[in-house]
Amino acid sequence: MSRQSISFTEPNDEWLKSQVASKEYASKSEVVNDLIRQARNQRAEIDYIRMKLEKAEKSGISTKTKDEILEIARTRANVKL
């Protein structure tokens, strides 16, 4: 595992210490690694949503009514309202 030296502002360092003191994490490194993991997952979700939106924009304007679109969505989701 790679070792790094990083500096924290006092409020951030206090927050990291409180996470370790609460026994939520074993060390500050564990907290930082978890935060990075969460940020990477969030980025992947944002990228996926962006890709879906771009695909939808490129598909053009639908000639279907709102009710037709809703019915298609319900059918795809297999949901009956």
Side-chain angles (χ1 to χ4, degrees), residues 60-72:
I61 297 173
S62 176
T63 57
K64 293 178 175 45
T65 68
K66 177 181 71 168
D67 290 333
E68 289 171 327
I69 293 169
L70 186 57
E71 185 57 36
I72 291 168

Side-chain angles (χ1 to χ4, degrees), residues 24-80:
E24 185 75 22
Y25 297 92
S27 68
K28 288 190 215 178
S29 294
E30 203 175 285
V31 179
V32 172
N33 275 312
D34 189 42
L35 291 171
I36 292 170
R37 203 170 12 261
Q38 289 176 36
R40 290 172 57 199
N41 288 337
Q42 185 178 42
R43 172 54 50 197
E45 289 175 13
I46 290 169
D47 289 346
Y48 175 76
I49 292 168
R50 181 174 285 120
M51 182 266 308
K52 291 299 242 180
L53 288 171
E54 288 172 358
K55 182 180 176 183
E57 287 174 347
K58 290 177 184 174
S59 71
I61 297 173
S62 176
T63 57
K64 293 178 175 45
T65 68
K66 177 181 71 168
D67 290 333
E68 289 171 327
I69 293 169
L70 186 57
E71 185 57 36
I72 291 168
R74 285 181 181 150
T75 301
R76 287 183 182 168
N78 215 7
V79 175
K80 303 288 186 210

Side-chain angles (χ1 to χ4, degrees), residues 12-23 28 31:
N12 288 344
D13 189 49
E14 290 303 317
W15 184 81
L16 287 168
K17 288 176 184 174
S18 74
Q19 296 302 299
V20 175
S22 72
K23 308 246 188 269
K28 288 190 215 178
V31 179

